[in-house]
Coordinates of all heavy atoms in Angstrom, one line a residue:
E1 N -10.8 -4.8 30.8 CA -10.9 -6.2 30.5 C -10.1 -6.5 29.3 O -9.4 -7.5 29.2 CB -12.3 -6.6 30.3 CG -12.5 -8.1 30.0 CD -12.0 -9.1 31.1 OE1 -11.9 -8.6 32.3 OE2 -11.7 -10.2 30.8
T2 N -10.2 -5.6 28.3 CA -9.4 -5.8 27.0 C -7.9 -5.8 27.3 O -7.1 -6.7 26.9 CB -9.7 -4.7 26.1 OG1 -11.1 -4.7 25.7 CG2 -8.9 -4.8 24.8
A3 N -7.4 -4.8 28.1 CA -6.0 -4.7 28.5 C -5.6 -5.9 29.3 O -4.4 -6.4 29.0 CB -5.8 -3.4 29.3
K4 N -6.4 -6.4 30.2 CA -6.1 -7.6 31.0 C -5.9 -8.8 30.1 O -4.9 -9.6 30.3 CB -7.2 -7.8 32.0 CG -6.9 -9.0 32.9 CD -8.1 -9.1 33.9 CE -7.9 -10.3 34.8 NZ -9.0 -10.5 35.8
R5 N -6.8 -9.0 29.1 CA -6.7 -10.2 28.3 C -5.4 -10.1 27.4 O -4.8 -11.1 27.1 CB -8.0 -10.3 27.5 CG -9.2 -10.7 28.4 CD -10.4 -10.9 27.6 NE -10.3 -12.1 26.8 CZ -11.4 -12.6 26.2 NH1 -12.6 -12.0 26.3 NH2 -11.3 -13.7 25.4
I6 N -5.1 -8.9 26.9 CA -3.9 -8.8 26.1 C -2.7 -9.1 27.0 O -1.7 -9.8 26.6 CB -3.8 -7.4 25.5 CG1 -4.9 -7.2 24.4 CG2 -2.4 -7.2 24.8 CD1 -5.0 -5.8 23.9
A7 N -2.7 -8.6 28.2 CA -1.5 -8.8 29.1 C -1.4 -10.3 29.5 O -0.3 -10.7 29.7 CB -1.7 -7.9 30.4
N8 N -2.5 -11.0 29.6 CA -2.5 -12.4 29.9 C -2.0 -13.2 28.7 O -1.8 -14.5 28.9 CB -3.9 -12.9 30.3 CG -4.3 -12.4 31.7 OD1 -3.4 -12.0 32.5 ND2 -5.6 -12.4 32.0
G9 N -1.8 -12.6 27.6 CA -1.4 -13.4 26.4 C -2.5 -14.1 25.6 O -2.2 -15.0 24.9
D10 N -3.7 -13.6 25.8 CA -4.8 -14.2 25.1 C -4.6 -14.0 23.6 O -4.2 -12.9 23.2 CB -6.2 -13.6 25.5 CG -6.6 -14.1 26.9 OD1 -5.8 -14.8 27.6 OD2 -7.7 -13.9 27.3
D11 N -5.0 -15.0 22.8 CA -4.9 -14.8 21.3 C -5.9 -13.7 20.9 O -7.0 -13.7 21.3 CB -5.2 -16.1 20.6 CG -4.0 -17.1 20.7 OD1 -2.9 -16.6 20.9 OD2 -4.2 -18.3 20.5
Y12 N -5.5 -12.9 20.0 CA -6.4 -11.9 19.4 C -6.0 -11.5 18.0 O -4.9 -11.8 17.5 CB -6.3 -10.6 20.3 CG -5.1 -9.8 20.2 CD1 -4.9 -8.9 19.2 CD2 -4.0 -10.0 21.1 CE1 -3.7 -8.2 19.1 CE2 -2.8 -9.3 21.0 CZ -2.6 -8.4 20.0 OH -1.5 -7.7 19.9
V13 N -6.9 -10.9 17.3 CA -6.6 -10.2 16.0 C -7.1 -8.8 16.1 O -7.9 -8.5 17.0 CB -7.3 -10.9 14.8 CG1 -6.8 -12.4 14.7 CG2 -8.8 -10.9 15.0
I14 N -6.6 -8.0 15.2 CA -7.1 -6.6 15.1 C -7.9 -6.5 13.9 O -7.4 -6.8 12.8 CB -5.9 -5.6 15.1 CG1 -5.2 -5.6 16.5 CG2 -6.5 -4.2 14.8 CD1 -4.0 -4.6 16.6
R15 N -9.2 -6.1 14.0 CA -10.1 -6.0 12.9 C -10.4 -4.6 12.5 O -10.4 -3.7 13.4 CB -11.4 -6.7 13.2 CG -11.3 -8.3 13.2 CD -12.7 -8.9 13.4 NE -12.6 -10.4 13.4 CZ -12.7 -11.1 12.4 NH1 -12.9 -10.6 11.2 NH2 -12.7 -12.4 12.5
F16 N -10.6 -4.3 11.2 CA -10.9 -3.0 10.8 C -12.4 -2.8 10.9 O -13.2 -3.6 10.5 CB -10.5 -2.8 9.3 CG -10.6 -1.4 8.8 CD1 -9.7 -0.4 9.2 CD2 -11.6 -1.1 7.9 CE1 -9.9 0.9 8.7 CE2 -11.7 0.2 7.4 CZ -10.9 1.2 7.8
K17 N -12.8 -1.6 11.4 CA -14.2 -1.3 11.5 C -14.7 -0.8 10.2 O -14.7 0.4 9.9 CB -14.5 -0.3 12.6 CG -15.9 -0.2 13.0 CD -16.1 0.9 14.0 CE -15.5 0.6 15.4 NZ -15.7 1.7 16.4
M18 N -15.2 -1.7 9.3 CA -15.5 -1.3 7.9 C -16.7 -0.4 7.9 O -16.7 0.6 7.1 CB -15.9 -2.6 7.2 CG -16.3 -2.3 5.7 SD -15.0 -1.5 4.7 CE -13.8 -2.8 4.5
F19 N -17.7 -0.6 8.7 CA -18.9 0.2 8.7 C -19.5 0.4 10.1 O -19.5 -0.6 10.8 CB -20.0 -0.4 7.8 CG -21.3 0.3 7.7 CD1 -21.5 1.5 7.0 CD2 -22.4 -0.3 8.4 CE1 -22.7 2.1 7.0 CE2 -23.6 0.3 8.3 CZ -23.8 1.5 7.7
D20 N -19.9 1.6 10.4 CA -20.5 1.8 11.7 C -22.0 2.1 11.5 O -22.4 3.0 10.8 CB -19.9 3.0 12.4 CG -20.4 3.2 13.8 OD1 -21.5 2.7 14.2 OD2 -19.6 3.8 14.6
G21 N -22.9 1.2 12.0 CA -24.3 1.3 11.7 C -24.9 2.7 12.1 O -25.9 3.1 11.5
E22 N -24.2 3.4 13.0 CA -24.8 4.7 13.4 C -24.3 5.8 12.5 O -24.9 6.9 12.5 CB -24.3 5.0 14.8 CG -24.8 4.0 15.8 CD -24.3 4.2 17.2 OE1 -23.5 5.2 17.4 OE2 -24.6 3.5 18.2
D23 N -23.3 5.6 11.6 CA -22.8 6.6 10.7 C -23.3 6.3 9.3 O -22.6 5.7 8.5 CB -21.3 6.6 10.8 CG -20.7 7.7 10.0 OD1 -21.5 8.5 9.3 OD2 -19.4 7.8 9.9
T24 N -24.5 6.8 9.0 CA -25.1 6.5 7.7 C -24.3 7.2 6.5 O -24.4 6.8 5.4 CB -26.5 7.1 7.6 OG1 -26.5 8.5 8.0 CG2 -27.4 6.3 8.6
S25 N -23.4 8.2 6.8 CA -22.7 8.8 5.8 C -21.6 7.9 5.2 O -21.1 8.1 4.1 CB -22.0 10.1 6.3 OG -21.0 9.7 7.3
R26 N -21.3 6.8 5.9 CA -20.4 5.9 5.4 C -21.0 4.6 4.8 O -20.5 3.5 4.8 CB -19.4 5.4 6.5 CG -18.3 6.5 6.8 CD -17.4 6.0 7.9 NE -16.8 4.7 7.6 CZ -16.3 4.0 8.5 NH1 -16.3 4.3 9.8 NH2 -15.7 2.8 8.2
G27 N -22.2 4.8 4.3 CA -23.0 3.6 3.8 C -22.5 3.1 2.4 O -22.5 1.9 2.2
T28 N -22.0 4.1 1.6 CA -21.6 3.7 0.2 C -20.2 4.4 0.0 O -20.0 5.5 0.3 CB -22.6 4.1 -0.8 OG1 -23.8 3.5 -0.6 CG2 -22.1 3.8 -2.2
L29 N -19.3 3.7 -0.7 CA -18.1 4.2 -1.1 C -18.0 4.2 -2.6 O -18.2 3.2 -3.2 CB -16.9 3.4 -0.5 CG -15.5 4.0 -0.7 CD1 -14.6 3.8 0.4 CD2 -14.9 3.4 -2.0
S30 N -17.7 5.4 -3.1 CA -17.6 5.5 -4.6 C -16.2 6.0 -4.9 O -15.6 6.9 -4.2 CB -18.6 6.6 -5.2 OG -19.9 6.2 -5.0
T31 N -15.5 5.4 -5.8 CA -14.2 5.7 -6.2 C -13.9 5.5 -7.7 O -14.7 4.8 -8.3 CB -13.1 4.9 -5.3 OG1 -11.8 5.5 -5.5 CG2 -13.1 3.5 -5.7
Q32 N -12.8 6.0 -8.2 CA -12.5 5.9 -9.6 C -11.4 4.8 -9.8 O -10.4 4.8 -9.1 CB -12.0 7.2 -10.1 CG -13.1 8.3 -10.3 CD -14.1 7.9 -11.4 OE1 -13.7 7.4 -12.5 NE2 -15.4 8.1 -11.1

């Protein structure tokens, strides 16, 4: 369905998956 909609020329954006609720290891980001 995704491929079909892209082929049909439907408007879309690409979003970054900032956090996955199932991956608790990515809950906090610490950096300097």
Side-chain angles (χ1 to χ4, degrees):
E1 181 62 23
T2 299
K4 182 179 177 182
R5 292 184 67 170
I6 292 172
N8 286 342
D10 288 10
D11 286 339
Y12 70 86
V13 297
I14 294 177
R15 289 182 178 272
F16 187 73
K17 194 187 292 183
M18 179 60 73
F19 174 75
D20 188 334
E22 297 175 2
D23 185 359
T24 55
S25 66
R26 282 179 55 200
T28 301
L29 184 144
S30 295
T31 190
Q32 287 293 317

